[in-house]
Amino acid sequence: MRILEELFTTISEFRKYAPYAESNVTFDQLNSSAISAKKQMVIILTKDVYTDLTADEGELKEALRLAMANLTMAKQLIFDVVSKRKDDVDIYKHEQESMRRSYIENYYNAMDTVIQLLDNSQTVPSWKETRYKKMLDVLKIKSTEEFDMLYTIDMSYLFFFRTIPIQSEALDDGISAYFERAEKKEEVLRLLKRCLAKQTIAIALRRFDILDFPSTIRNLFEDSKVMRYGTQEQERLLALSDSLLEEVKRELANIDLLLSTDSSGSVDTNTSFNRPDDIIMLMPC
């Protein structure tokens, strides 16, 4: 089955959504890349939601078309470069990288729109039944807006949804115990949520490609330039991850102190548990 025909009637229509797609390309030539693109999108949207959106004729389908076209071209780019080089047409590495970055950025922007519209719409009930939406019920940071207030992610709905399993992992790593102790202490809960957001980002830095991050985070790295240097980029990713984890560790220590302080402001120590009836005997030197 030709995947692109689910969303586009002609190759001319496809080219409206994908800048610089060749005029002589066919759906058959793009099909393998489109299959890979659909699989990546269905991981977030699920098959049922994707199918429902292909039947839509409004803003949601337009955003889905934009996402599919650009992700397909991002995956197809390397094959186009090889083909051109066989025809003695040179494509410089920085040009190839710039095109890929542009396609990926267009894809992420489109998917942000898709997820935002799904969250604010009641027309696609299958969205509420997806695994990621159900996972939000037991998480502490439940929306893109809330996460963005804790740690800036450029209001990226796609990035937030991709980090839902990571947020669950961060909670399982020990932060959930702090939330239980801080129940009904709003000021402490706010600090804990910021720690949770930072730890989620720190884990994501070790799992995702830098192109998967919002521009605010991407711009900290060599990838903000045209050329990418794999080893150096990886070292800086790990360094930022370690820095965030250290911040979380220090902040949790402060939170631990706050939670160990009673309403009078005193801190629990070993001596604070002494009772009047305790008999304390001092031995002579």
Side-chain angles (χ1 to χ4, degrees), residues 74 77 96-105 211 228:
L77 185 60
Q96 176 187 343
E97 188 63 31
S98 293
M99 290 175 68
R100 181 169 179 265
R101 281 171 51 87
S102 296
Y103 283 132
I104 291 293
E105 189 163 348
L211 290 181
R228 299 179 68 186

Side-chain angles (χ1 to χ4, degrees), residues 5-270:
E5 290 186 348
E6 297 174 343
L7 293 170
F8 308 97
T9 55
T10 65
I11 199 67
S12 296
E13 184 182 26
F14 173 84
R15 292 178 65 236
K16 292 178 183 178
Y17 298 88
Y20 303 107
E22 297 288 344
S23 58
N24 59 347
V25 73
T26 66
F27 285 150
D28 285 333
Q29 292 171 322
L30 296 173
N31 198 53
S32 60
S33 297
I35 290 172
S36 178
K38 180 179 178 179
K39 181 179 179 181
Q40 183 172 325
M41 294 166 68
V42 165
I43 290 173
I44 294 291
L45 299 177
T46 74
K47 184 177 179 180
D48 289 341
V49 173
Y50 184 93
T51 300
D52 288 343
L53 294 186
T54 59
D56 183 82
E57 289 301 334
E59 194 175 2
L60 268 167
K61 190 171 184 177
E62 283 294 291
L64 188 69
R65 282 171 173 157
L66 186 60
M68 172 58 81
N70 280 275
L71 186 57
T72 297
M73 290 306 300
K75 293 178 178 295
Q76 182 70 18
L77 185 60
I78 184 61
F79 303 111
D80 290 344
V81 169
V82 171
S83 177
K84 287 179 179 178
R85 283 179 177 165
K86 286 181 178 180
D87 294 332
D88 296 324
V89 177
D90 289 330
I91 300 291
Y92 293 104
K93 184 177 180 180
H94 70 86
E95 293 176 333
Q96 176 187 343
E97 188 63 31
S98 293
M99 290 175 68
R100 181 169 179 265
R101 281 171 51 87
S102 296
Y103 283 132
I104 291 293
E105 189 163 348
N106 287 346
Y107 160 71
Y108 272 100
N109 289 335
M111 281 295 287
D112 281 345
T113 301
V114 170
I115 296 173
Q116 182 180 13
L117 291 172
L118 284 170
D119 266 356
N120 298 328
S121 173
Q122 304 298 322
T123 59
V124 188
S126 55
W127 173 243
K128 294 183 179 180
E129 300 302 315
T130 60
R131 178 172 64 100
Y132 282 7
K133 284 291 287 185
K134 289 181 177 180
M135 285 181 69
L136 282 175
D137 293 337
V138 296
L139 296 184
K140 301 301 180 182
I141 305 174
K142 298 181 181 293
S143 70
T144 304
E145 293 84 353
E146 186 179 13
F147 199 111
D148 193 69
M149 291 293 291
L150 298 166
Y151 194 101
T152 303
I153 55 171
D154 299 331
M155 284 294 289
S156 174
Y157 285 79
L158 177 59
F159 181 78
F160 172 72
F161 270 84
R162 290 195 67 204
T163 57
I164 284 175
I166 295 179
Q167 186 187 155
S168 178
E169 179 181 338
L171 284 168
D172 290 342
D173 282 345
I175 294 184
S176 60
Y178 285 90
F179 279 97
E180 292 173 7
R181 293 172 59 196
E183 188 177 4
K184 297 181 181 179
K185 297 181 180 179
E186 291 300 323
E187 184 176 347
V188 178
L189 287 173
R190 180 176 56 81
L191 295 174
L192 276 173
K193 285 185 177 181
R194 179 161 280 117
C195 286
L196 177 58
K198 287 182 178 181
Q199 185 156 330
T200 299
I201 295 291
I203 297 172
L205 285 165
R206 295 174 177 269
R207 307 274 177 84
F208 295 174
D209 185 279
I210 191 58
L211 290 181
D212 295 336
F213 286 87
S215 59
T216 298
I217 300 174
R218 264 199 336 264
N219 290 340
L220 300 173
F221 301 94
E222 285 298 321
D223 190 56
S224 63
K225 312 298 189 296
V226 173
M227 298 294 290
R228 299 179 68 186
Y229 302 94
T231 303
Q232 187 181 46
E233 184 180 88
Q234 184 66 18
E235 288 174 353
R236 295 187 67 188
L237 283 168
L238 295 176
L240 178 56
S241 176
D242 290 340
S243 175
L244 286 173
L245 290 174
E246 280 299 314
E247 287 182 27
V248 170
K249 186 177 179 180
R250 290 195 301 269
E251 289 167 13
L252 285 178
N254 293 332
I255 290 170
D256 206 22
L257 186 63
L258 285 172
L259 293 174
S260 300
T261 304
D262 61 21
S263 58
S264 65
S266 63
V267 179
D268 293 336
T269 66
N270 289 336

